[in-house]
Amino acid sequence: VEPYRIKVVEPLPVTSWNQRLAALDRVGYNLMGLASDEVTIDLLTDSGTGALSAQQLSHAITGDESYAGSRSYRHFVDVAVDLTSYPFVFPVPQGRVAERVLFSALVSPGRITLSNAHFETTRANVWLNGGQAIDLPCPELADLASSFPFKGDIDTARLKEILFGSEGDRVAAVIMTITNNTGGGQPVAMSNLRTTAELCNERGVPLILDAARFAENAWLVGQNDAQHWGRTPREIAQEAFTLADGCVLSAKKDGLAHIGGLLGLRDPALARRCELILIATTGYSNYGGLAGRDLDMVARGLVEVTDPRYLRSRAEDAAYLADLVRAAGVRMVEPPGLHALYLDAGALLPHIPPSQFPGQALACELYLEAGIRSTEVGSFNLGDEGDHGHVVSHELLRLAIPRRVYTRAHLAYVGRAIARIADRADQVTGLRIVEQPPMLRGFTARLQRVAD
Ligand code: F0G
C-alpha cells in the first residue's frame, strides 16, 4: 500500500466530451494550452506536481527568510552535502538554471558535450553557449521491447572513441542523465557509470550527473543488479554522486518539491566561477532565487525520497498501469521505469505517418476520451529542425506519474481510457502543424486534424 495517508485533497475537474472537443479546437491540438481545470488526470509531467508531506509543509512557517546565513540554507547544505559528497552546493530555482549557470562556465563555442541523452533544456543550454550536445545512447535502447534492465546506459565504446579520438579536445563535459528521461525513463547501471567515470578521469573531462531522478535510478539499480541487492537506495544514490565531479539536479522531481534545484561541484575554481554567475543572474548563493521555506522543503524532500517504502510503492504504481496498458494490447518502452510510461504510438497508430505526429494524435485522443493530459515524445516535440539535431527513432506518448498524487483507482481510470482507444485505434486521425515558432515548438505550435 502507499506508505502515507491523505490529509489534504482537492476536487478532480470533470468535463464533457463536447467541452473537451471545443477545448482541443481552441488550443490548436496542443495540450500545453489547456487550463488545468479542463484536465481530469494530469500526466503531463512529474515535475513540480507532487504532493508535499506534512513535514515539508510545516516549513512554510518555520522557513528562515533571512537573505544570508539562514537556518533554511544551512539545512539545505547539510542534506545536499550528505547526499552528494560535493563540497560546493548551490540552491537554484530549478534544474535548467543549474544547467545555464554551469554551462556558462564550462561550455564555449566549438566545444561539445556527450551524454546518454541530453534533456531538452540541457541541449538548449549547451547550444546557447555555442556548444553542441551529442547523445550516445546504448544500442539496447533502440529495441523498445527489449527487457534489458539498464537501457539508460551510455554507449561506452562510442564514448571512448570520441574522448580519445581527434575530437577529444573539444569535449567540455560528459553528462549522465539518471534516469534517462528522453530515453523512456530508463535507468543507468552503476557499472556503466563507473566505466564512464574512469574514462572521464583518464581524459581529464568532468563527469556531471543530471540527477533529477537519482532516487528512482537508485531504486532500479537496487532491484535489477545483484551486486547491489541488500543496499539501501540512499547508499546506492550516494555512490552514484561520488563517482561524478558534480551534478545539476531539478528538485521538482526527486526533490519532492514544487520548485527548486541544486548545482553541486567538487572543483573549487569551477565552483567559484559558477557562484559569480549565480549571484549576478539568479540570487545570492545562500538562497539561489528561492525562498527560505523552499530550501527547507527541498532539503526534506531529498531525504523522504529515498525511503524504500515510498520508492517501492511508486514502482508498483507504474507497474500497475503498465499491466493495464499491456492488457489493452498497447506496446510501450519495456521495462517500465518509475516516473512515466512511454507508449508506442507509432505501433498503435500505424496508419498515421511520423509527419502527421502519431504521438500527438494519441495525446489528443486520450484527452478527448477521458480528460487525461500527457506529452508526446516524438516527431512533434523532438523532430523540430530548430532544435539542433535530435534523432527521432520512435513515436512515443509519455504518461508521467506525479509523486504521491494519484491513487490506483485514478490509474485504473487511465487504463480503461487507453483500452477504449486501442479498440478504435484505426479511427484516430493524424495532425498537421498550422503555426510554429523557430524552436521548442512543442510549447506553442498549433495543429489541425489532417481530415479537417
Ligand atoms: N533534466 C531532466 C532529466 C529533466 O527531466 C528536466 C525536466 C530537467 C533537467 C530540467 O529541470 O524543469 O527543473 O528546469 N523535466 C520536466 C519533464 C520538465 O517534464 O520531464 P527543470
Side-chain angles (χ1 to χ4, degrees), residues 321-338:
L321 184 56
D323 280 343
L324 298 177
V325 170
R326 285 190 207 103
V330 175
R331 284 193 249 161
M332 72 191 128
V333 178
E334 297 280 0
L338 267 64

Side-chain angles (χ1 to χ4, degrees), residues 52 56-60 75 255-258 292-302:
L52 297 174
Q56 280 178 299
L57 205 48
S58 74
H59 292 304
H75 184 199
L256 298 180
H258 292 152
R293 66 179 76 99
D294 298 325
L295 297 173
D296 274 314
M297 287 182 194
V298 169
R300 177 68 200 163
L302 289 174

Side-chain angles (χ1 to χ4, degrees), residues 197-249:
E198 285 164 4
L199 291 172
C200 287
N201 250 334
E202 205 181 323
R203 192 65 179 82
V205 167
L207 170 61
I208 304 295
L209 292 186
D210 177 347
R213 299 178 182 85
F214 70 94
E216 297 180 354
N217 202 83
W219 174 260
L220 290 165
V221 167
Q223 293 297 300
N224 296 318
D225 182 344
Q227 287 202 336
H228 295 275
W229 286 350
R231 301 181 73 201
T232 65
R234 192 152 200 93
E235 286 164 350
I236 297 171
Q238 283 169 324
E239 186 183 337
F241 283 110
T242 309
L243 288 171
D245 301 297
C247 71
V248 290
L249 185 157

Side-chain angles (χ1 to χ4, degrees), residues 44-47 94-97 99 119 121-122 177 179 181 210 212-213 250 252-253 260 398:
L44 181 68
T45 178
D46 63 321
S47 181
Q94 56 182 99
R96 66 198 71 183
V97 183
E99 294 161 7
F119 181 67
T121 57
T122 321
T177 309
T179 57
N181 183 17
D210 177 347
R213 299 178 182 85
S250 166
K252 301 174 73 173
K253 286 85 168 171
R398 185 182 79 166

Side-chain angles (χ1 to χ4, degrees), residues 43-343:
L43 307 184
L44 181 68
T45 178
D46 63 321
S47 181
T49 52
L52 297 174
S53 67
Q55 200 161 350
Q56 280 178 299
L57 205 48
S58 74
H59 292 304
I61 308 288
T62 61
D64 178 353
E65 304 303 337
S66 307
Y67 194 95
S70 77
R71 259 189 333 271
S72 303
Y73 171 63
R74 293 199 305 275
H75 184 199
F76 175 92
V77 170
D78 287 348
V79 168
V81 172
D82 175 69
L83 175 68
T84 66
S85 76
Y86 304 140
F88 305 98
V89 290
F90 303 108
V92 290
Q94 56 182 99
R96 66 198 71 183
V97 183
E99 294 161 7
R100 178 170 56 81
V101 168
L102 179 63
F103 298 155
S104 304
L106 212 52
V107 178
S108 52
R111 307 296 300 275
I112 55 181
T113 56
L114 306 175
S115 176
N116 52 341
H118 295 80
F119 181 67
E120 291 315 288
T121 57
T122 321
R123 177 182 309 281
N125 275 300
V126 169
W127 180 80
L128 284 170
N129 284 291
Q132 189 192 353
I134 300 175
D135 290 346
L136 306 173
C138 69
E140 289 85 352
L141 185 63
D143 177 6
L144 299 192
S146 142
S147 61
F148 181 64
F150 294 109
K151 285 156 102 172
D153 283 357
I154 196 166
D155 183 338
T156 47
R158 290 267 294 120
L159 175 67
K160 191 172 177 179
E161 251 170 52
I162 299 179
L163 279 177
F164 294 93
S166 57
E167 302 277 83
D169 287 340
R170 292 175 55 205
V171 181
V174 173
I175 299 152
M176 283 290 256
T177 309
I178 61 170
T179 57
N180 178 355
N181 183 17
T182 25
Q186 297 292 306
V188 174
M190 211 54 119
S191 54
N192 187 260
L193 198 53
R194 189 175 293 282
T195 305
T196 303
E198 285 164 4
L199 291 172
C200 287
N201 250 334
E202 205 181 323
R203 192 65 179 82
V205 167
L207 170 61
I208 304 295
L209 292 186
D210 177 347
R213 299 178 182 85
F214 70 94
E216 297 180 354
N217 202 83
W219 174 260
L220 290 165
V221 167
Q223 293 297 300
N224 296 318
D225 182 344
Q227 287 202 336
H228 295 275
W229 286 350
R231 301 181 73 201
T232 65
R234 192 152 200 93
E235 286 164 350
I236 297 171
Q238 283 169 324
E239 186 183 337
F241 283 110
T242 309
L243 288 171
D245 301 297
C247 71
V248 290
L249 185 157
S250 166
K252 301 174 73 173
K253 286 85 168 171
D254 279 351
L256 298 180
H258 292 152
I259 198 72
L262 159 69
L263 171 61
L265 293 167
R266 270 191 213 295
D267 176 4
L270 181 59
R272 270 195 300 275
R273 277 213 303 286
C274 287
E275 186 172 21
L276 266 180
I277 299 167
L278 184 66
I279 295 173
T281 62
T282 310
Y284 179 50
S285 47
N286 282 193
Y287 68 89
L290 293 169
R293 66 179 76 99
D294 298 325
L295 297 173
D296 274 314
M297 287 182 194
V298 169
R300 177 68 200 163
L302 289 174
V303 171
E304 289 178 3
V305 76
T306 49
D307 174 359
R309 290 190 308 159
Y310 157 76
L311 285 167
R312 176 178 296 283
S313 152
R314 182 149 173 81
E316 286 175 357
D317 279 348
Y320 174 75
L321 184 56
D323 280 343
L324 298 177
V325 170
R326 285 190 207 103
V330 175
R331 284 193 249 161
M332 72 191 128
V333 178
E334 297 280 0
L338 267 64
H339 86 283
L341 303 185
Y342 293 71
L343 310 194

